[in-house]
Amino acid sequence: MHAPAPSGSVADGPPHPTAPHAPTAHASNATPGAPAHPAAADPHPPAPSAHTAPAGDAASADRSAPSPGAPAQAGTAPTGARGAPVQGQPAASAAPPAGVRLDRRAPAEGAGGGDDYPLQAPDPRVAAEPAAVCVACRAGRVDDDGYCENCGHAQPRERDHMEQECGPVAAVSDRGLRHHRNEDAFAVGTTALPDGSPVSVAVVCDGVSSATRPDEASLAASRAANASLLDALPRGTHPQQAMHEAILAASEAVNALAGEQPAEADEHAPQQNAPACTIVGAVVTAGLLVVGWVGDSRAYWIPVDRSPAVRLTEDDSWAAQMVAAGLMGEAEAYADHRAHAITGWLGADAYELEPHTAAFKPDRPGVVVVCTDGLWNYAESADEMAEAVPADAAARPLHAARVLVGHALDGGGHDNVTVALVPFPAVPQGAGSA
């Protein structure tokens, strides 16, 4: 059976540079109290429109209109209120007021004088565009960098809060309460396997704050992984293999960003401080659940009866290594200030990439929670996550995602917060939240 065309969407936003990071291990952006960095000013402000008249042109044109009784001069046309030539009126010889310049053509040989160039009328599309007003003081004008010229308040960006529902899958992302921008990204989608059975996809990426352009890295990775999955699954690729290939595609997309580094960055450290992010994804079919990840973003399995809830991923982090080696208990390791230093990530300066994938066959319905550490910091264990997930999450995934983001914000919102919810088993296309 021919599979229907895949559908999905991603959220994006404008990039902003951040501070450099060490090449050997990334410090996760989940650390409470991490300092915020103001958005950098655009070094190349846009040039003014070629159709926009200089300030004062319209008024100058009014003042250059002929006075009553002034003699007309052949070959010179008066200008209207916007500087456009007025048809069917006698020409005027009145000189323009001081401070206004009208360029003249060189007079033809034997002619009495040259013609004035009419003033350029403003482009009505530009003139009609209203100035943005500050959301905080409701009075100041917002400059090109997104700050109020009156009170200095940073204005909301497109990625500060994002929500998306695609069939039965839903995701929500929020900047949080401490960071100046959202460096997370997600992508969700639905398609069908070759036999026509439905399949749902969710990808969540967390930009590494200590790397350059982490918001671009997370966006590029989520888009590439989502596109790879929605291309491979309808062709019959096994979901676990498709997830492996999707992570490799995401890695290539992030690596490509390193080639777009500023020249001075390449000169001092070609591979150091390259854009980087973590990734976690889930593929849900009618009878199979597959997850894949690199870094410390996580996936949880929450059955409808809440017994037992399970964390499906293992962090690539210092704390996880200490626990795995038996050197520290989990509570002690995650309480350490080094806990969120990640040991695996996507980026040109990463170690050898080792995508993790795992496949499960749940014996009951439930929901898969795919999230960044901005959420699981406030619901770390599987039981804590199950307690935070609303009971009707499988039926109302978008509502549940909003509740989970609110849970993190209520807990302090120290990091960007992103969560996607994927009901299991996969729901046919057209079914969604009530």
Side-chain angles (χ1 to χ4, degrees):
M1 177 182 294
H2 180 69
S7 63
S9 62
V10 280
D12 64 27
H16 298 276
T18 56
H21 73 299
T24 55
H26 285 293
S28 169
N29 56 7
T31 305
H37 302 281
D42 187 352
H44 305 290
S49 170
H51 298 290
T52 305
D57 281 0
S60 301
D62 283 337
R63 291 196 297 269
S64 64
S67 303
Q73 178 181 353
T76 303
T79 54
R82 289 184 175 270
V86 178
Q87 301 295 329
Q89 294 187 12
S93 60
V100 177
R101 174 182 174 185
L102 295 178
D103 292 333
R104 291 179 176 271
R105 299 188 184 93
E109 185 175 353
D115 292 338
D116 288 340
Y117 285 112
L119 296 177
Q120 176 67 47
D123 186 335
R125 294 168 298 179
V126 176
E129 184 176 349
V133 178
C134 175
V135 298
C137 68
R138 300 291 182 181
R141 175 185 174 276
V142 178
D143 63 21
D144 292 338
D145 294 325
Y147 289 85
C148 175
E149 294 179 346
N150 180 47
C151 68
H153 188 90
Q155 305 302 295
R157 298 182 176 90
E158 182 181 358
R159 285 174 68 172
D160 281 359
H161 185 88
M162 303 174 290
E163 297 185 356
Q164 181 66 42
E165 192 170 30
C166 184
V169 192
V172 176
S173 182
D174 193 271
R175 185 185 68 179
L177 304 179
R178 302 295 183 90
H179 284 257
H180 76 286
R181 67 178 175 187
N182 191 356
E183 296 167 357
D184 290 355
F186 66 78
V188 295
T190 59
T191 184
L193 300 178
D195 64 1
S197 60
V199 56
S200 302
V201 171
V203 178
V204 168
C205 296
D206 184 354
V208 177
S209 289
S210 55
T212 59
R213 297 147 61 202
D215 51 340
E216 293 185 49
S218 62
L219 179 63
S222 60
R223 282 178 165 175
N226 185 62
S228 178
L229 288 169
L230 294 180
D231 177 66
L233 292 168
R235 291 190 283 106
T237 304
H238 188 278
Q240 192 166 0
Q241 178 62 29
M243 179 62 75
H244 181 89
E245 294 173 358
I247 294 176
L248 295 180
S251 177
E252 292 177 3
V254 178
N255 291 349
L257 296 177
E260 303 171 8
Q261 296 270 72
E264 57 270 19
D266 291 338
E267 180 181 350
H268 294 97
Q271 294 296 328
Q272 193 169 340
N273 204 30
C277 70
T278 68
I279 186 171
V280 62
V283 173
V284 170
T285 71
L288 184 67
L289 161 60
V290 170
V291 295
W293 74 96
V294 172
D296 63 350
S297 293
R298 294 180 176 180
Y300 293 81
W301 162 244
I302 312 296
V304 290
D305 58 8
R306 299 297 193 269
S307 177
V310 180
R311 174 153 65 96
L312 304 176
T313 58
E314 293 293 336
D315 299 344
D316 291 320
S317 70
W318 180 90
Q321 285 189 343
M322 293 299 103
V323 174
L327 300 176
M328 301 177 77
E330 187 169 350
E332 181 186 6
Y334 280 98
D336 193 283
H337 71 278
R338 296 165 291 183
H340 290 281
I342 58 176
T343 57
W345 61 89
L346 304 183
D349 62 350
Y351 301 113
E352 183 177 356
L353 179 63
E354 297 181 2
H356 310 291
T357 62
F360 306 90
K361 292 185 177 181
D363 60 357
R364 67 199 71 186
V367 65
V368 185
V369 177
V370 184
C371 65
T372 62
D373 57 351
L375 171 60
W376 66 252
N377 275 327
Y378 301 98
E380 190 169 322
S381 70
D383 289 340
E384 290 173 328
M385 185 64 73
E387 186 177 348
V389 173
D392 60 352
R396 302 175 64 200
L398 181 58
H399 167 75
R402 291 169 176 162
V403 170
L404 290 172
V405 169
H407 176 78
L409 298 180
D410 291 343
H414 287 88
D415 197 3
N416 307 144
V417 188
T418 301
V419 58
L421 294 181
V422 190
F424 177 90
V427 181
Q429 293 188 51
S433 61

